[in-house]
Amino acid sequence: MSERKRRRPERERRGFEDIKSDSTGSQTKPEWFEQQKRERERERGRQPRDKSGNNSRDKSKNNSKGNSKDTPRRKSQRGQTSGARDARPRGAPSRDAGGRQSPRPPSRRDEPRKRKKPMSLFKRRLLIVLALLGMIAVTVFLAESLLLRVTEIKVTGDEIYAQEDILKLCGVREGDNLLLIPASDREQKLESQLPYISKAKITRKIPGTVIIEITASRGVCSIESGGAWYVIAGDGKVLETCPGPKEGLMQVLGVTVQSAKVGETLVLDNEEASTVFTEIVGIIDRLGENGQSAASEFTKMDLTNLYDMRLWYQDRIECILGSNIQLDYKLTYGYGILTHPDPKKRIGEDKNGSLDLSYLPTKRAAYFTPNEGSPGARPTVAPDGTVPDEPAATATPEPGRGDGIPDGPFTG
């Protein structure tokens, strides 16, 4: 073997041996052979162009295109060239027979993307509103399930009724929704149907606690109507009905009852008498010391004459109130004289008589007139420290009349 053959690459020597013929007589050439052929054709395409700008080789080819028929050999070579072209490496640009690069078909990446139409302002707002509503619904559901369910019920305050009776009438149960409990209606129901409850207050605390605070009513006086006696609280509420006057409470005389229903406010036939009665009873209920009512210390009240009202203290001191002017001042001052801690400043427990408080708004003094067998009368110092100029009166002046008021009519 010659030296030139020995230098030929092993691949080229094997390549000629790999050329085989198919059944039609056409030969199949290896890929490297076709690649070398394309490179030679590419070098030929670099020949100088003519004045028209076309390659001379391409021009001769274009002239030869006019032939209507190709020889079988050309067809086979064209098929081989196309097969070789199909066998080119992936990603290599395709070229025609003259070596020119054919235009690459447009890919999907090169196609311009269609811009989506922006969402309208109305749709954006609607989407935001729906999102907020969904968040609120979830929050409400969680709060209602975890925080707003009643898990504990407490009854505090004055113990005048059994806790079971209060809860049964109130209607609050474990598992109820805190926000759906009608507190004002339940409070009113407790105060009206359980008369000795002066005030009921329902408080809701998160999570799941209901507190029912009870304030008791206290009987202040008893009043008779139609053969029955009614126990009245300091706010005029009828607490209960008794066959006789209740022991330890003040009896009220000189009034006529128009309506007296347990759990409701007492109504008298005289509107002015009803107003005065409610005011006096409320003041007496507040007069006690250390939260205790003074109702048990007053035994009787006479409202027959609203300009000469009388009140008896321990059945031994008759307090003359006169008219309804400054009733709070009269009753507070008189009660202070009767219960003063200093024995020298109060009316002794061994004395009885009448304490005139009708002149207190004008003279700033009250006058005590002892009954027969009691020590002499003496003036009582007013709360502002003043003492009347005149000595204590031995007789009670005309009720409701002050200084400077003439006895006869004014004639001008």
Side-chain angles (χ1 to χ4, degrees), residues 15 294 308:
D308 187 17

Side-chain angles (χ1 to χ4, degrees), residues 30-61:
E31 183 180 357
W32 62 269
F33 185 85
E34 297 292 338
Q35 187 175 0
Q36 288 183 355
K37 183 179 179 180
R38 287 196 298 270
E39 290 177 357
R40 288 194 297 271
E41 291 176 352
R42 190 181 304 114
E43 291 175 357
R44 293 193 195 102
R46 296 177 183 176
Q47 294 178 2
R49 299 177 181 272
D50 55 3
K51 295 181 179 181
S52 60
N54 298 325
N55 193 307
S56 60
R57 183 178 180 84
D58 295 338
K59 186 176 180 180
S60 62
K61 285 186 177 181

Side-chain angles (χ1 to χ4, degrees), residues 303-317:
L303 299 179
T304 303
N305 186 356
L306 297 180
Y307 294 95
D308 187 17
M309 294 180 289
R310 309 265 172 148
L311 187 66
W312 280 263
Y313 177 79
Q314 295 181 354
D315 271 341
R316 61 185 181 87
I317 305 295

Side-chain angles (χ1 to χ4, degrees), residues 339-365:
T339 59
H340 201 281
D342 189 354
K344 297 180 180 180
K345 295 182 179 180
R346 71 167 182 260
I347 299 175
E349 298 179 357
D350 56 340
K351 298 178 181 179
N352 52 39
S354 60
L355 179 63
D356 191 354
L357 301 170
S358 59
Y359 287 93
L360 191 62
T362 56
K363 291 190 174 183
R364 302 290 179 179

